[in-house]
Amino acid sequence: WERMPPEWKSRSAFVIAGRGHAETGALTHSTIPHARQTEPQADEFDFFDAIRRGDGKLTDYDGKVRAYSVGDDTWFTTEWPRAKEEMCPLRLSADGTLVDGSNLCAGAVSWVYDPSKSYGGFGDSFSVKAFDAGNCGYARAFVSRPFERARAFFGRPRVRIPVMSTCEDTQFLFRIDLITPSNEAWSVCQTITSLRHVKPDYRPGEIAVADLELPLTAFAVGKGWGVRLDVTSQGGP
């Protein structure tokens, strides 16, 4: 979308919906907190009819982005890339307190990963009730303090975290969740990388900094809600 020529983009639609990997169903009450609206499927039919047969109705967000915001159950139309972006850095720690980032390795946490075992449950779905990383032996959770006011986010979340392994390579999966005041976790988006991709000449025991952009995402954090980053090794040997 970002590299698409303007003349093509003006006749295109970019819809970011609350779906998971390879899922095609509409939003439901069981998959989104406070969800009331379903995905406007009729817009898709109108769009394809207009493009393929010329007898459909082009929607009013052609050339723009229409996104569903997880957490506050709203659809909105915007432009992307935006001319000006506002960054909101969150420095998270394993005990739920914000840190100043002066010592990236302070309070390091670890786990034992056995790729021969199928753990299941951590999941790769978006916008569904997330697995409780706090009760999972092969994952660690980094959480924020509760937000003092509601905030809406739209853009590419970026994760920057130092990682280390006792073997030559492993895969690290990073997932962003919303945490409700009742301590329910709702998955927003995730990404995965190989340690050798982060540092091609990696050697066991070294510290490498994973600096990754996640997919374009829209979500809202209510007052008293928090943001959690789950980290695990997953995805095969």
Side-chain angles (χ1 to χ4, degrees):
W1 182 261
E2 294 170 355
R3 297 191 299 268
M4 185 181 292
E7 62 272 19
W8 293 5
K9 187 178 293 186
S10 66
R11 296 183 289 113
S12 303
F14 185 8
V15 180
I16 303 175
R19 295 178 173 182
H21 187 65
E23 292 178 4
T24 57
L27 304 174
T28 67
H29 291 272
S30 62
T31 57
I32 304 291
H34 312 308
R36 298 179 303 276
Q37 304 178 40
T38 57
E39 187 177 343
Q41 300 287 350
D43 288 353
E44 297 182 15
F45 291 113
D46 288 343
F47 177 80
F48 285 116
D49 283 346
I51 296 299
R52 290 177 60 96
R53 302 191 306 192
D55 59 356
K57 177 185 176 182
L58 283 174
T59 58
D60 59 1
Y61 55 90
D62 301 311
K64 296 184 179 180
V65 176
R66 184 171 184 176
Y68 180 83
S69 178
V70 178
D72 62 350
D73 187 41
T74 58
W75 285 90
F76 63 93
T77 301
T78 186
E79 295 184 355
W80 184 264
R82 288 176 169 172
K84 182 179 180 181
E85 295 183 33
E86 179 184 356
M87 304 297 293
C88 180
L90 290 176
R91 297 181 175 89
L92 313 179
S93 72
D95 62 0
T97 59
L98 298 177
V99 296
D100 62 9
S102 59
N103 185 353
L104 289 175
C105 296
V109 294
S110 63
W111 64 88
V112 177
Y113 174 57
D114 184 352
S116 67
K117 296 180 180 179
S118 177
Y119 289 106
F122 193 80
D124 59 359
S125 296
F126 302 144
S127 303
V128 297
K129 193 170 183 180
F131 188 79
D132 185 0
N135 296 326
C136 176
Y138 59 96
R140 293 295 179 266
F142 301 82
V143 298
S144 73
R145 293 192 188 107
F147 278 58
E148 296 181 356
R149 63 181 179 90
R151 290 288 301 268
F153 295 89
F154 176 68
R156 294 183 184 274
R158 188 163 194 154
V159 173
R160 186 174 187 269
I161 185 171
V163 292
M164 183 175 65
S165 177
T166 57
C167 61
E168 290 78 8
D169 195 15
T170 190
Q171 291 176 323
F172 286 96
L173 185 144
F174 305 94
R175 186 182 65 191
I176 295 177
D177 302 323
L178 301 182
I179 308 298
T180 69
S182 59
N183 207 33
E184 288 184 337
W186 297 85
S187 176
V188 174
C189 60
Q190 66 184 34
T191 190
I192 191 170
T193 189
S194 167
L195 188 54
R196 282 293 182 91
H197 180 75
V198 174
K199 193 175 189 298
D201 58 347
Y202 183 81
R203 294 185 179 183
E206 292 181 336
I207 295 175
V209 177
D211 192 347
L212 306 169
E213 279 192 336
L214 279 72
L216 194 61
T217 305
F219 65 93
V221 180
K223 181 179 179 181
W225 289 42
V227 173
R228 188 177 80 188
L229 174 67
D230 297 336
V231 184
T232 187
S233 296
Q234 188 169 313

